Amino acid sequence: MKKIYLLLVLATVVSINSCKKNKYAEGTLSPIIAVVDLRSIYKGSDVVLNSDNMGGAKEIVGVVISNAAAGNSPVGVLVVQNNRRNAVRGISLEIGNAAANYVPGDSVVVQVNGATLTKVNGSMRVKGLTEASVSKVGDNKAIKVQSVPSATLLASPDVYEETLITIAKAVTDPEPQQGETYAGDKTINDGFGKITMHTEANASFAATELPFSANFSGIPFAVTSGADTKLQLWPRTIDDVFTLAATKPSPIIITGYLTNPSGSDGDYEYIQFKATKDIDFSVTNYAVVTCNNAGTNPAPANGWAQGLAKTYKFNLTSGSVKKGEFFYVGGNKNIWGKGSTDISSSNWINSTMYAEVPGADFGNVTTNLLANSGNVAGIAVFTGTTVTASSVPLDVIMYGGSGTVYSAGPPEIGYRITNTDYYSTINPVTRTEQGFYGGGSNTSKLPLPTDGLFSQLGGVYDALTGRWVTGRTVTSVPLTLTSPISTIEAATGVTTVQN
């Protein structure tokens, strides 16, 4: 009897579901398509937009980012971007002379049904629109500006094309001649790649003198030349370029580190540096501080000078090094832990058994000087041997996970940074001061080291200008108990110093 009853119930459920399978959820399709979805419709040839290929939509909404009246925008084009479906995307709209009627921050609704999605000279565009296709519904809207390294921009052009971006801490390459102006195509280099900056001859700022170093903002447009299509950055006005003061060169740069040697870590971790000028440490003193932020403790109120289990300090007060030479700070002078190659013939400026000896002025004894897992960790170099909460490093790198290492306050606390390949004391978007890791745009960090491998930081440093011509990237170098010192000093991609 129970079996019969169960069969009847199942039959009823199947019958109900069968009756409902062609019933669709009631509701109205959105008339708006996100720009990220609009761009995805293009598959290499012109597409006439309609409700079918736009999923029932007929319009886009967005904020104007172009400034046609200033003269540095493709003729007759209005550029809008929006942030829908967690994706900031932009698109060019061909509306003729009416483009000059709009200014950045205008909020618009654009009827795109019946228009054509195409590419013009390599850049995606919607054609077939009229002045009446665009309706202004607001003004002075906030515009999201993304700070994008050139390497990221070049690797993902479709993500950033026709959006408003900033390429931070870039220089014109080659250095501009006296009186050289913006007009034409200029190459800018942020240390992670090179990109062309374009200024039309009739742009309002075309005759303005070109700076050497700046945060360059603008709209990237794709431009086809022959068989190649490349992005160009088009500043909208002179206000899109924020000139930066010259960077003071650091006499010492961080070039590598070993966080997890063979066997016990205690007394066998070390840091590799390179000098960018001749240094006699007995005459000019420096300090090296490491931070290890294991656990869930609050941000360090005294930053690099926190001491205890957070930070450990080495003083560099004896020995010397020549420009372009490597030197080392750490524990035992072995390349990969106990029993491995003795590298004491290399230039060791400080060798302290940190698992038995407290840091100079601050820092508990520790068996894990350099974190190899978990929360973010770091290394910093300072002028002199006095390091306080207000001390600004000469060079600094952070690597690893996350953790609570910064508090906006007031007062603002955490680990101070300086201008390097990864950090900037001026926010490239808001143009306000930012002096701590984790504050503003200073969130970059290198990946956690690969277990048991040496972290080689390859890059090219200009000792004259203090710029990273090529930013540091991590290469994990395998080591063995018999590896020679050349494995970490003469490998392909080691950091080099020019000038």
Side-chain angles (χ1 to χ4, degrees):
M1 191 69 181
K2 288 181 180 179
K3 290 182 179 180
I4 295 173
Y5 175 75
L6 180 59
L7 288 171
L8 287 172
V9 171
L10 290 172
T12 302
V13 171
V14 170
S15 176
I16 291 172
N17 286 340
S18 298
C19 292
K20 287 186 174 182
K21 70 178 181 179
N22 292 319
K23 298 289 185 181
Y24 297 97
E26 294 183 1
T28 304
L29 293 172
S30 172
I32 300 169
I33 184 172
V35 174
V36 64
D37 295 325
L38 180 73
R39 293 181 66 93
S40 70
I41 295 172
Y42 186 83
K43 303 298 183 185
S45 58
D46 290 2
V47 180
V48 177
L49 300 170
N50 55 53
S51 59
D52 288 335
N53 55 34
M54 290 193 292
K58 59 181 181 180
E59 62 193 25
I60 61 172
V61 298
V63 177
V64 174
I65 60 172
S66 57
N67 191 335
N72 206 42
S73 184
V75 177
V77 165
L78 182 71
V79 187
V80 302
Q81 75 176 26
N82 69 18
N83 186 358
R84 297 177 73 89
R85 296 209 310 106
N86 295 317
V88 177
R89 295 292 189 275
I91 191 73
S92 291
L93 310 171
E94 193 172 291
I95 61 171
N97 293 334
N101 298 334
Y102 297 89
V103 297
D106 285 346
S107 178
V108 296
V109 176
V110 186
Q111 304 299 322
V112 294
N113 193 39
T116 300
L117 185 64
T118 185
K119 284 196 174 182
V120 176
N121 196 27
S123 187
M124 195 171 292
R125 185 178 296 186
V126 179
K127 298 181 66 173
L129 301 172
T130 66
E131 182 176 352
S133 301
V134 184
S135 301
K136 178 179 172 180
V137 294
D139 54 22
N140 295 318
K141 300 298 182 183
I143 299 175
K144 183 176 179 62
V145 185
Q146 301 176 92
S147 182
V148 185
S150 59
T152 303
L153 177 65
L154 296 171
S156 305
D158 190 60
V159 172
Y160 298 103
E161 181 194 8
E162 298 165 335
T163 66
L164 187 58
I165 70 161
T166 296
I167 298 178
K169 294 187 301 177
V171 297
T172 49
D173 188 4
E175 184 174 350
Q177 301 295 311
Q178 185 174 1
E180 186 175 349
T181 67
Y182 281 86
D185 291 341
K186 311 294 179 181
T187 300
I188 59 175
N189 180 353
D190 65 349
F192 294 96
K194 297 180 181 181
I195 191 168
T196 298
M197 179 178 67
H198 176 81
T199 306
E200 297 279 88
N202 62 347
S204 60
F205 58 98
T208 304
E209 188 168 354
L210 188 67
F212 170 60
S213 178
N215 293 335
F216 294 94
S217 298
I219 302 172
F221 292 100
V223 177
T224 297
S225 177
D228 294 331
T229 299
K230 296 182 178 179
L231 286 183
Q232 292 183 348
L233 184 71
W234 292 43
R236 302 166 303 169
T237 69
I238 193 61
D239 291 335
D240 272 348
V241 180
F242 184 75
T243 301
L244 298 173
T247 300
K248 185 178 180 180
S250 173
I252 298 169
I253 53 176
I254 305 162
T255 59
Y257 43 92
L258 180 66
T259 66
N260 193 18
S262 175
S264 172
D265 290 0
D267 294 335
Y268 286 98
E269 298 157 292
Y270 59 86
I271 309 161
Q272 183 193 68
F273 301 89
K274 182 169 275 192
T276 68
K277 70 175 188 178
D278 293 353
I279 302 172
D280 181 343
F281 290 102
S282 67
V283 175
T284 307
N285 302 156
Y286 295 91
V288 170
V289 182
T290 65
C291 70
N292 187 329
N293 299 284
T296 57
N297 298 317
N302 293 312
W304 293 102
Q306 186 73 12
L308 303 174
K310 287 286 187 183
T311 63
Y312 189 97
K313 178 167 169 277
F314 299 86
N315 287 341
L316 312 185
T317 58
S318 63
S320 63
V321 63
K322 296 293 185 182
K323 178 181 177 179
E325 290 183 350
F326 289 111
F327 68 92
Y328 297 86
V329 171
N332 285 299
K333 302 172 184 179
N334 297 87
I335 198 166
W336 195 52
K338 186 176 181 179
S340 65
T341 303
D342 184 327
I343 56 173
S344 58
S345 58
S346 298
N347 194 353
W348 285 77
I349 299 301
N350 189 311
S351 176
T352 298
M353 301 302 107
Y354 55 82
E356 293 80 40
V357 180
D361 303 315
F362 55 79
N364 292 348
V365 296
T366 177
T367 57
N368 197 200
L369 179 74
L370 302 171
N372 50 38
S373 65
N375 291 341
V376 68
I379 303 165
V381 184
F382 296 87
T383 298
T385 58
T386 300
V387 177
T388 67
S390 59
S391 297
V392 176
L394 294 168
D395 190 24
V396 56
I397 62 104
M398 304 294 283
Y399 67 88
S402 52
T404 305
V405 296
Y406 170 74
S407 174
E412 195 174 16
I413 59 173
Y415 297 111
R416 291 187 182 272
I417 52 83
T418 190
N419 291 308
T420 71
D421 41 355
Y422 284 95
Y423 307 119
S424 175
T425 56
I426 300 293
N427 189 300
V429 174
T430 64
R431 299 178 179 179
T432 55
E433 291 187 2
Q434 52 180 27
F436 292 84
Y437 174 76
S441 66
N442 289 318
T443 57
S444 296
K445 58 194 173 189
L446 299 172
L448 276 169
T450 303
D451 237 16
L453 306 186
F454 179 78
S455 295
Q456 173 186 289
L457 307 186
V460 178
Y461 187 81
D462 190 306
L464 185 63
T465 64
R467 286 192 60 255
W468 283 95
V469 178
T470 302
R472 285 171 286 192
T473 54
V474 178
T475 299
S476 294
V477 178
L479 296 175
T480 68
L481 294 174
T482 58
S483 294
I485 189 64
S486 59
T487 306
I488 61 174
E489 289 191 349
T492 300
V494 298
T495 301
T496 57
V497 175
Q498 68 179 33
N499 288 331

